[in-house]
Amino acid sequence: MTPRGPVWQQRLRPYLKRATEPQPLVVAGKLTRMVGLTLEAVGCQAAIGGRCVIETAQNASIEAEVVGFHDDKLYLMPIGGLHGLGPNARVVPTHGVCEVPVGEQLLGRVLDGAGHPLDDKGPLHAERRVPLSGRPINPLSRPPIREPLDVGVAAINALLSVGRGQRMGLFAGSGVGKSVLLGMMTRYTNADVIVVGLIGERGREVKEFVENILGPEGLARAVVVATPADNSPLMRMHGAMLATRVAEHFRDQGKQVLLLMDSLTRFAQAQREVALAIGEPPATKGYPPSVFARLPQLVERAGTGDRGGSITAFYTVLAEGDDQNDPIADAARAILDGHVVLSRELAEAGHYPAIDIEASISRVMVDIVAPEHDQAVRRFRQLWSTYRQNRDLISVGAYQAGSNANIDEAIAMYPALSAFLQQHMRHQIGWSDSLKGLQSSLGGAGR
């Protein structure tokens, strides 16, 4: 007897709905080759950025991401380790995209590149999960930068003024104090939320940064994403993208976000490792073209938003061998809104923060400061540059006083100018005090 009536229809409805909805076809493939960290799989299909699960002989599974394809081959990059992986391992596409947790529950937590907690504060219960790639903003919908931001560092406040929503780079070689300067701005900047990305750096620095630089008060309003150097290149890239995505979430809620990423160079090096592993030819000093395409895709996600919030971002850029024309440093200068260059010569002389005022610039400063402030900065730069250009003659006694009025004035005022640029790492100097200090340094001896 054929069933009829509402009861039969109710029981059959889920099956009819499931049959009519398009379902992704999951066809398992197998692993055929492994070169370095690159895995080749055949017999399955997945899109770029898709996830696959590789089954090992020990009944475990390894998650990998699709980073390329050629003919019937998929190129995969593992998310974690490769222990236990063997030939002809079963590869199963998940047809899912990488999603990461966001929400207020992230504040005070330390996460890895996949969004899993690294601290001992228990499991993470986020409000929701969102795709790792952010929402693109129409450039005409971005409000202009008009409000200055107090970062607590006198030299930057007064001479390299930063606006809310600006993207700045900290350019330096190794060991000249860029991490210390980044920590100063972390503690002293006025922001609703701080997002810190520690990408590809030494593992011991993560705990030091959380405990010594952030501290309990700073961590309470911060989210730390850490992917040290021993993580896979894909995980390092995801760490930078996750930090940016978390910052975007808080910005879309109308909050003022400070994004600190150390370092942009390690992100580029991770992308280089992935690109070279899948056969992309190197172009500039070993960097494939995809590296220079990825950098603006990451950096452009910061800045002012169309919902009232903003992301003010500071990216550290490691100048290999103190070469400011390093390909990554050169590319970063072109896409950022300014750069702070740290000098090894100043650092070796005990001048901290070792900011090279002549080589540094803020491209939005003229739009956010008063005319008299801008005039004072110009005069400071002229005096400082005059002394630095004639320093060798002055130090050996070859310059005779009275030969040039500008040099005489620069010599007389140099001690006050140098003292203004120096600041202890535990000493905060606010915006108004920075401007007073600037005026005081220009009104010193020799006037």
Side-chain angles (χ1 to χ4, degrees):
M1 181 177 180
T2 304
R4 298 179 183 274
V7 176
W8 171 80
Q9 293 178 3
Q10 184 176 0
R11 291 178 178 176
L12 190 60
R13 189 176 294 116
Y15 298 95
L16 293 174
K17 181 179 180 181
R18 190 179 307 167
T20 56
E21 289 180 350
Q23 298 293 323
L25 180 61
V26 178
V27 178
K30 67 177 182 178
L31 201 62
T32 60
R33 187 184 181 194
M34 174 181 174
V35 179
L37 292 178
T38 309
L39 309 175
E40 291 185 9
V42 297
C44 56
Q45 294 183 354
I48 295 292
R51 294 298 180 95
C52 295
V53 174
I54 306 174
E55 300 175 356
T56 67
Q58 289 78 18
N59 294 325
S61 61
I62 295 174
E63 191 174 4
E65 182 173 311
V66 180
V67 295
F69 58 86
H70 178 69
D71 294 334
D72 60 341
K73 297 179 182 178
L74 286 182
Y75 297 132
L76 309 175
M77 189 71 67
I79 304 296
L82 295 173
H83 182 72
L85 194 63
N88 297 319
R90 192 165 180 261
V91 180
V92 182
T94 64
H95 294 287
V97 295
C98 182
E99 292 186 339
V100 293
V102 293
E104 298 288 337
Q105 291 80 3
L106 270 64
L107 295 176
R109 303 302 301 267
V110 182
L111 314 176
D112 64 8
H116 302 142
L118 291 174
D119 49 29
D120 56 355
K121 298 181 180 180
L124 183 65
H125 301 288
E127 296 176 2
R128 58 194 181 97
R129 300 182 68 88
V130 296
L132 189 60
S133 58
R135 175 182 62 90
I137 299 178
N138 187 326
L140 296 181
S141 300
R142 290 183 182 267
I145 299 173
R146 292 291 183 265
E147 181 183 357
L149 178 68
D150 182 5
V151 299
V153 181
I156 297 179
N157 280 343
L159 303 175
L160 303 166
S161 303
V162 177
R164 288 197 181 276
Q166 187 173 354
R167 300 159 303 183
M168 292 283 286
L170 297 180
F171 291 71
S174 57
V176 296
K178 63 180 182 300
S179 296
V180 175
L181 181 58
L182 199 70
M184 293 174 65
M185 292 187 291
T186 303
R187 291 191 301 270
Y188 304 145
T189 300
N190 181 18
D192 298 326
V193 177
I194 299 173
V195 181
V196 181
L198 303 176
I199 311 301
E201 298 297 328
R202 293 177 288 272
R204 68 168 180 83
E205 293 183 342
V206 176
K207 190 176 183 65
E208 292 179 0
F209 191 94
V210 172
E211 294 184 353
N212 301 337
I213 296 180
L214 274 179
E217 294 183 0
L219 184 60
R221 61 183 179 124
V223 182
V224 180
V225 180
T227 52
D230 59 345
N231 281 220
S232 68
L234 202 61
M235 186 62 74
R236 279 176 269 149
M237 292 176 58
H238 284 185
M241 297 167 68
L242 172 58
T244 306
R245 188 68 185 93
V246 172
E248 286 176 321
H249 169 76
F250 288 110
R251 178 189 61 187
D252 291 343
Q253 293 182 338
K255 296 184 177 181
Q256 307 302 324
V257 182
L258 175 65
L259 172 62
L260 306 170
M261 189 170 296
D262 186 14
S263 69
L264 192 64
T265 304
R266 304 303 184 196
F267 170 81
Q269 291 174 346
Q271 171 61 25
R272 177 177 64 179
E273 293 179 37
V274 173
L276 292 178
I278 62 176
E280 185 178 354
T284 306
K285 292 187 177 180
Y287 286 95
S290 62
V291 173
F292 303 100
R294 281 276 192 169
L295 286 176
Q297 291 176 1
L298 179 72
V299 170
E300 282 294 328
R301 292 168 61 179
T304 55
D306 54 359
R307 298 178 182 176
S310 68
I311 300 175
T312 306
F314 286 89
Y315 302 92
T316 63
V317 180
L318 179 62
E320 301 287 352
D322 294 329
D323 181 13
Q324 297 299 326
N325 293 320
D326 176 79
I328 300 304
D330 195 45
R333 270 195 302 269
I335 59 179
L336 294 172
D337 301 324
H339 49 272
V340 178
V341 179
L342 301 185
S343 166
R344 186 174 299 277
E345 179 185 358
L346 292 174
E348 291 173 347
H351 184 289
Y352 289 102
I355 299 176
D356 187 345
I357 295 299
E358 294 177 283
S360 305
I361 190 173
S362 173
R363 292 191 174 118
V364 304
M365 180 174 178
V366 68
D367 298 323
I368 62 176
V369 300
E372 55 272 17
H373 181 179
D374 184 58
Q375 185 177 0
V377 171
R378 290 175 183 271
R379 176 166 173 74
F380 188 103
R381 284 179 172 270
Q382 290 169 358
L383 292 169
W384 180 264
S385 180
T386 299
Y387 182 89
R388 300 287 292 181
Q389 290 173 3
N390 296 276
R391 180 185 49 180
D392 293 339
L393 293 176
I394 298 169
S395 61
V396 300
Y399 175 76
Q400 294 183 356
S403 301
N404 186 297
N406 292 332
I407 299 178
D408 291 341
E409 185 180 18
I411 293 174
M413 300 187 66
Y414 179 77
L417 302 181
S418 179
F420 170 73
L421 293 177
Q422 299 183 56
Q423 179 178 338
H424 192 272
M425 62 179 294
R426 296 294 179 184
H427 183 205
Q428 177 182 1
I429 302 179
W431 178 267
S432 59
D433 291 337
S434 300
L435 300 189
K436 291 177 182 178
L438 173 62
Q439 296 295 340
S440 176
S441 66
L442 294 175
R447 292 292 304 225

